[in-house]
Amino acid sequence: MGLAQDVGTTPVVLKNVRLIDGTGAAPIEGATILIENGRIAAITTGPSVAVPSGAQVLDYSGKTVIPGLINAHGHLGLVDWTDEVWGTQNSATAYTRENVVRELKQYEGYGVTAVLSLGGNRDLVYDLRGEQKAGKLDGADIFTAGRGIGVPGGAPPIPMADDQIYRPANAREARAAVDAMAAQKVDIIKVWIDDLHGKAPKMQPAVYRAVIEEAHKLGVPVAAHVYALADARALVNEGVDVLAHSVRDQPVDQALLDAMKQHGTWYIPTFTVDESFYIYTQHPAWMDTLFFKTAAGPKLDAMLTSPAYVAKVKADPSTAQHEKDFSVGQENLKRVFDAGVRVGFGTDSGAFPWRIPGFAEHRELELMVSAGLTPMQALVCATRNNAELLRATDLGTLQVGKRANLVVLDGNPLDAIANVDKMVSIIHDGRVIKPLATTAMLP
Ligand SMILES: [Zn+2]
């Protein structure tokens, strides 16, 4: 995304912070960050910074600053947030300006300053992205895969309108879909390769081969929804750029790791996908925080805590599968990461009600750490790495010249990744934003 015009016009100075800049380098203690015209103008240590007249000076002694989180696998406009249902249902009519803007604000208010909406977008997304670039719309920066390319009678199994997804019958139709989305300057092309545990037809290799070839001819990368190792291997060898979910049917093998390294393929784990199917039935302590409840909203919170919901999930034969998928995914991330494969960060938040925008990204960081990454490694995936994945050269790290997208924390996430929830303020393009929620427990 180019230079946004809605930059904070008042210079901002953040004093005395611990700076985790997103590059993976050790934190800089006692840093002062000068923000002008929405960008990082200077980073200094010691008393030497010249404060411009009229600047807003924020003394954040003892606080830690990280780059704004980037979600490289989310979805806009698939869940209905209107008053009647308020986040509890998918709807093929949910892709409205009101719903999408609400989700963008929720991401931003949880420190997620950019989101890649990875398919299922109506063409409204291009208008909204244009408004953001013209400085007329706040909320998380939109990156988009446009409609995305699914399968007739198959994945994705989400209610969508006809103008929200392509389901080509053959390679020729698939190429036409790629051409149409490339003409709209999508950031990436999305394909779904999944037979949903044998319940649905899977995209034929001839179709995704055509998609990858056509997209690359037009200079657009391709991300694939994937579940099974065999599909992942085939896609990587065809040149797909991003595996947008964990491989979960079995442990990743050396052939996949070698191929991903050879091709420079990205891996996005999305643990939220698997965990969100069952975790609420266990009522973890975080469900009693305002941090969770604010993101869920009262209706979804009531649904996820209701005995009927808990009984339904516990009786669902696929629940055991989701738990197994989660643990296979955890082990696979560690293998993939240690092998030196490029790892991004995503959640699939917004695809279904129980994958909650903003909250999910914080949870995902914890789950990357529980998989064996250090907090620093997880943060770098969610910031610098994702900026590289999105080819967004002015995002992802806090360095002079980059856009001033950052989160101020009351706690060091390197000590405990959960400290990433303790948001004091969020700065997006130099605008200072109050977080939507605190980590307080309910009274
Ligand atoms: Zn998705």
Side-chain angles (χ1 to χ4, degrees), residues 346-362:
T347 57
D348 213 15
S349 59
F352 290 103
W354 43 89
R355 298 178 198 155
I356 305 167
F359 178 82
E361 287 68 34
H362 289 252

Side-chain angles (χ1 to χ4, degrees), residues 73-75 118-119 158 190 192 225 244-245 273 347-349 351 355:
H73 188 163
H75 293 278
L118 203 49
I158 303 173
K190 170 75 176 289
W192 277 263
H225 164 111
H245 290 296
V273 167
T347 57
D348 213 15
S349 59
R355 298 178 198 155

Side-chain angles (χ1 to χ4, degrees), residues 87-89 298-310 353-354:
T88 61
Q89 286 175 27
K299 290 207 163 102
L300 180 60
D301 180 42
M303 182 184 105
L304 296 174
T305 50
S306 71
Y309 171 83
V310 172
W354 43 89

Side-chain angles (χ1 to χ4, degrees), residues 64-77:
T64 302
V65 168
I66 61 170
L69 302 176
I70 301 170
N71 178 10
H73 188 163
H75 293 278
L76 298 169

